[in-house]
């Protein structure tokens, strides 16, 4: 995996910088966009910028390659996955708390329309 997914000597640096720090930043950026009721597609440019920041941290602190399409793509994929999950979790919470009479939560990332109550009009 070393050389394919990460370039550092230790997978620990990849897990710390890309997964933990980059994932957290991606989660928070996507969460902020969801809280502002922005459409899903708007998280893409924000998360690509987060992935660029992650690549810069690898370069500046650990001597990684700054302009590497391969490692940038890996960073971007990780940040996009975590960010998309953060967006969906926040949107699910919004829909099921603000419109609780219309929607019910089916999982942490999904919701569905509530069934009408029995005996109603």
């Amino acid at each position: 995996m070393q050389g394919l997914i990460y370039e550092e000597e230790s997978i620990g640096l990849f897990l710390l910088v890309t997964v933990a720090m980059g994932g957290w930043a991606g989660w928070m950026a996507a969460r902020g966009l969801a809280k502002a009721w922005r459409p899903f597609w708007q998280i893409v440019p924000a998360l690509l910028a987060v992935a660029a920041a992650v690549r810069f941290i690898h370069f500046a602190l650990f001597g990684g390659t700054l302009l590497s399409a391969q490692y940038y793509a890996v960073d971007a994929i990780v940040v996009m996955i975590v960010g998309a999950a953060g967006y969906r979790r926040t949107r699910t919470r919004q829909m099921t708390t603000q419109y609780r009479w219309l929607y019910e939560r089916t999982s942490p990332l999904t919701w569905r329309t509530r069934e009408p109550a029995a005996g109603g009009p």
Side-chain angles (χ1 to χ4, degrees):
M1 295 284 242
Q2 197 269 337
L4 181 62
I5 295 180
Y6 61 92
E7 63 183 323
E8 290 84 8
E9 296 296 321
S10 164
I11 192 169
L13 290 175
F14 171 76
L15 293 175
L16 172 68
V17 177
T18 301
V19 178
M21 293 171 57
W24 175 81
W27 180 281
M28 296 306 286
R31 181 177 175 257
L33 290 169
K35 286 183 125 187
W37 292 94
R38 301 284 187 241
F40 184 80
W41 68 267
Q42 287 188 1
I43 71 169
V44 173
L47 296 180
L48 290 176
V50 170
V54 168
R55 183 85 321 248
F56 180 76
I57 291 170
H58 279 290
F59 167 73
L61 298 180
F62 304 109
T65 307
L66 178 62
L67 301 175
S68 169
Q70 173 186 355
Y71 297 129
Y72 176 74
V74 171
D75 293 340
I77 289 169
V78 170
V79 169
M80 289 282 187
I81 290 170
V82 175
Y87 181 92
R88 286 295 297 183
R89 182 171 182 268
T90 303
R91 184 53 52 93
T92 299
R93 180 175 290 171
Q94 287 175 315
M95 296 300 284
T96 58
T97 56
Q98 293 183 13
Y99 303 107
R100 73 184 72 152
W101 65 92
L102 293 175
Y103 303 109
E104 61 186 354
R105 187 180 317 218
T106 56
S107 77
L109 303 179
T110 60
W111 67 90
R112 69 175 175 213
T113 305
R114 281 193 185 274
E115 297 296 323

